[in-house]
mmCIF file of all heavy atoms in Angstrom:
data_model
loop_
_atom_site.group_PDB
_atom_site.id
_atom_site.type_symbol
_atom_site.label_atom_id
_atom_site.label_comp_id
_atom_site.label_asym_id
_atom_site.label_seq_id
_atom_site.Cartn_x
_atom_site.Cartn_y
_atom_site.Cartn_z
ATOM 1 N N LEU G 732 44.025 -25.502 57.286
ATOM 2 C CA LEU G 732 45.414 -25.144 57.474
ATOM 3 C C LEU G 732 45.506 -23.855 58.304
ATOM 4 O O LEU G 732 44.705 -22.947 58.150
ATOM 5 C CB LEU G 732 46.070 -24.881 56.126
ATOM 6 C CG LEU G 732 46.306 -26.070 55.175
ATOM 7 C CD1 LEU G 732 46.850 -25.582 53.840
ATOM 8 C CD2 LEU G 732 47.253 -27.083 55.814
ATOM 9 N N GLY G 738 51.961 -20.655 54.954
ATOM 10 C CA GLY G 738 53.228 -20.002 54.626
ATOM 11 C C GLY G 738 54.343 -20.995 54.405
ATOM 12 O O GLY G 738 55.152 -20.862 53.474
ATOM 13 N N ALA G 743 58.128 -23.852 50.716
ATOM 14 C CA ALA G 743 58.644 -25.093 50.152
ATOM 15 C C ALA G 743 58.452 -25.160 48.638
ATOM 16 O O ALA G 743 59.351 -25.553 47.882
ATOM 17 C CB ALA G 743 57.974 -26.289 50.833
ATOM 18 N N ILE G 778 41.162 -16.141 47.888
ATOM 19 C CA ILE G 778 41.072 -17.259 46.948
ATOM 20 C C ILE G 778 41.753 -16.945 45.603
ATOM 21 O O ILE G 778 42.372 -17.793 44.995
ATOM 22 C CB ILE G 778 39.590 -17.695 46.737
ATOM 23 C CG1 ILE G 778 39.528 -18.988 45.929
ATOM 24 C CG2 ILE G 778 38.824 -16.573 46.076
ATOM 25 C CD1 ILE G 778 40.161 -20.175 46.607
ATOM 26 N N THR G 808 58.490 -31.039 35.946
ATOM 27 C CA THR G 808 58.398 -31.098 34.504
ATOM 28 C C THR G 808 59.806 -31.078 33.967
ATOM 29 O O THR G 808 60.781 -30.751 34.680
ATOM 30 C CB THR G 808 57.622 -29.889 33.953
ATOM 31 O OG1 THR G 808 58.403 -28.705 34.214
ATOM 32 C CG2 THR G 808 56.278 -29.749 34.595
ATOM 33 N N SER G 821 72.538 -19.864 47.887
ATOM 34 C CA SER G 821 72.427 -19.268 49.214
ATOM 35 C C SER G 821 73.349 -19.963 50.173
ATOM 36 O O SER G 821 73.502 -19.509 51.321
ATOM 37 C CB SER G 821 70.992 -19.331 49.710
ATOM 38 O OG SER G 821 70.567 -20.678 49.834
ATOM 39 N N GLU G 849 86.918 -8.026 69.665
ATOM 40 C CA GLU G 849 86.410 -9.142 68.823
ATOM 41 C C GLU G 849 84.894 -9.114 68.724
ATOM 42 O O GLU G 849 84.343 -9.326 67.626
ATOM 43 C CB GLU G 849 86.853 -10.478 69.435
ATOM 44 C CG GLU G 849 88.178 -10.967 68.895
ATOM 45 C CD GLU G 849 88.497 -12.386 69.344
ATOM 46 O OE1 GLU G 849 87.870 -12.869 70.298
ATOM 47 O OE2 GLU G 849 89.405 -12.973 68.736
ATOM 48 N N VAL G 851 82.609 -6.658 68.874
ATOM 49 C CA VAL G 851 82.127 -5.645 67.927
ATOM 50 C C VAL G 851 82.547 -6.005 66.505
ATOM 51 O O VAL G 851 81.773 -5.881 65.577
ATOM 52 C CB VAL G 851 82.644 -4.245 68.334
ATOM 53 C CG1 VAL G 851 82.257 -3.215 67.265
ATOM 54 C CG2 VAL G 851 82.063 -3.844 69.690
ATOM 55 N N LEU G 852 83.796 -6.458 66.338
ATOM 56 C CA LEU G 852 84.300 -6.813 65.010
ATOM 57 C C LEU G 852 83.434 -7.909 64.366
ATOM 58 O O LEU G 852 83.090 -7.846 63.185
ATOM 59 C CB LEU G 852 85.746 -7.263 65.120
ATOM 60 C CG LEU G 852 86.470 -7.599 63.807
ATOM 61 C CD1 LEU G 852 86.519 -6.398 62.879
ATOM 62 C CD2 LEU G 852 87.887 -8.101 64.097
ATOM 63 N N GLU G 869 73.462 -11.906 46.827
ATOM 64 C CA GLU G 869 74.757 -12.474 46.532
ATOM 65 C C GLU G 869 75.608 -12.469 47.797
ATOM 66 O O GLU G 869 75.409 -11.652 48.695
ATOM 67 C CB GLU G 869 75.513 -11.662 45.450
ATOM 68 C CG GLU G 869 74.873 -11.680 44.063
ATOM 69 C CD GLU G 869 75.671 -10.842 43.084
ATOM 70 O OE1 GLU G 869 76.780 -10.373 43.450
ATOM 71 O OE2 GLU G 869 75.195 -10.634 41.974
ATOM 72 N N GLY G 882 75.826 -13.686 70.297
ATOM 73 C CA GLY G 882 75.448 -13.228 68.974
ATOM 74 C C GLY G 882 76.046 -14.072 67.877
ATOM 75 O O GLY G 882 76.695 -15.072 68.114
ATOM 76 N N PHE G 890 91.381 -19.490 62.074
ATOM 77 C CA PHE G 890 92.405 -19.959 61.137
ATOM 78 C C PHE G 890 92.915 -18.801 60.255
ATOM 79 O O PHE G 890 94.106 -18.659 60.038
ATOM 80 C CB PHE G 890 91.815 -21.073 60.269
ATOM 81 C CG PHE G 890 92.696 -21.530 59.158
ATOM 82 C CD1 PHE G 890 93.769 -22.400 59.382
ATOM 83 C CD2 PHE G 890 92.479 -21.056 57.852
ATOM 84 C CE1 PHE G 890 94.606 -22.781 58.347
ATOM 85 C CE2 PHE G 890 93.314 -21.445 56.807
ATOM 86 C CZ PHE G 890 94.396 -22.305 57.057
ATOM 87 N N MET G 892 92.713 -15.579 60.887
ATOM 88 C CA MET G 892 93.413 -14.599 61.713
ATOM 89 C C MET G 892 94.853 -15.028 61.980
ATOM 90 O O MET G 892 95.805 -14.248 61.882
ATOM 91 C CB MET G 892 92.705 -14.420 63.065
ATOM 92 C CG MET G 892 91.369 -13.716 62.959
ATOM 93 S SD MET G 892 91.571 -11.973 62.621
ATOM 94 C CE MET G 892 90.042 -11.314 63.279
ATOM 95 N N SER G 930 79.428 -1.254 45.393
ATOM 96 C CA SER G 930 78.258 -1.620 46.191
ATOM 97 C C SER G 930 78.668 -2.333 47.483
ATOM 98 O O SER G 930 78.052 -2.154 48.548
ATOM 99 C CB SER G 930 77.335 -2.521 45.392
ATOM 100 O OG SER G 930 77.974 -3.713 44.982
ATOM 101 N N VAL G 934 78.057 -0.880 51.426
ATOM 102 C CA VAL G 934 77.369 -1.600 52.485
ATOM 103 C C VAL G 934 78.234 -1.655 53.717
ATOM 104 O O VAL G 934 77.774 -1.436 54.854
ATOM 105 C CB VAL G 934 76.975 -3.029 52.015
ATOM 106 C CG1 VAL G 934 76.532 -3.878 53.189
ATOM 107 C CG2 VAL G 934 75.894 -2.982 50.950
ATOM 108 N N HIS G 955 70.822 -9.666 68.603
ATOM 109 C CA HIS G 955 69.877 -10.659 69.161
ATOM 110 C C HIS G 955 68.448 -10.369 68.742
ATOM 111 O O HIS G 955 67.579 -11.240 68.884
ATOM 112 C CB HIS G 955 69.974 -10.664 70.689
ATOM 113 C CG HIS G 955 71.247 -11.222 71.200
ATOM 114 N ND1 HIS G 955 71.529 -11.295 72.550
ATOM 115 C CD2 HIS G 955 72.278 -11.812 70.566
ATOM 116 C CE1 HIS G 955 72.727 -11.857 72.694
ATOM 117 N NE2 HIS G 955 73.210 -12.171 71.523
ATOM 118 N N GLU G 972 69.208 -16.802 53.827
ATOM 119 C CA GLU G 972 67.874 -16.529 53.286
ATOM 120 C C GLU G 972 66.973 -15.847 54.311
ATOM 121 O O GLU G 972 66.007 -15.174 53.948
ATOM 122 C CB GLU G 972 67.227 -17.845 52.818
ATOM 123 C CG GLU G 972 67.899 -18.490 51.625
ATOM 124 C CD GLU G 972 67.619 -17.734 50.325
ATOM 125 O OE1 GLU G 972 66.459 -17.424 50.035
ATOM 126 O OE2 GLU G 972 68.613 -17.404 49.632
#
Side-chain angles (χ1 to χ4, degrees):
L732 292 174
I778 189 63
T808 65
S821 62
E849 270 188 343
V851 174
L852 183 60
E869 293 180 7
F890 172 80
M892 291 287 204
S930 60
V934 168
H955 290 177
E972 293 287 309

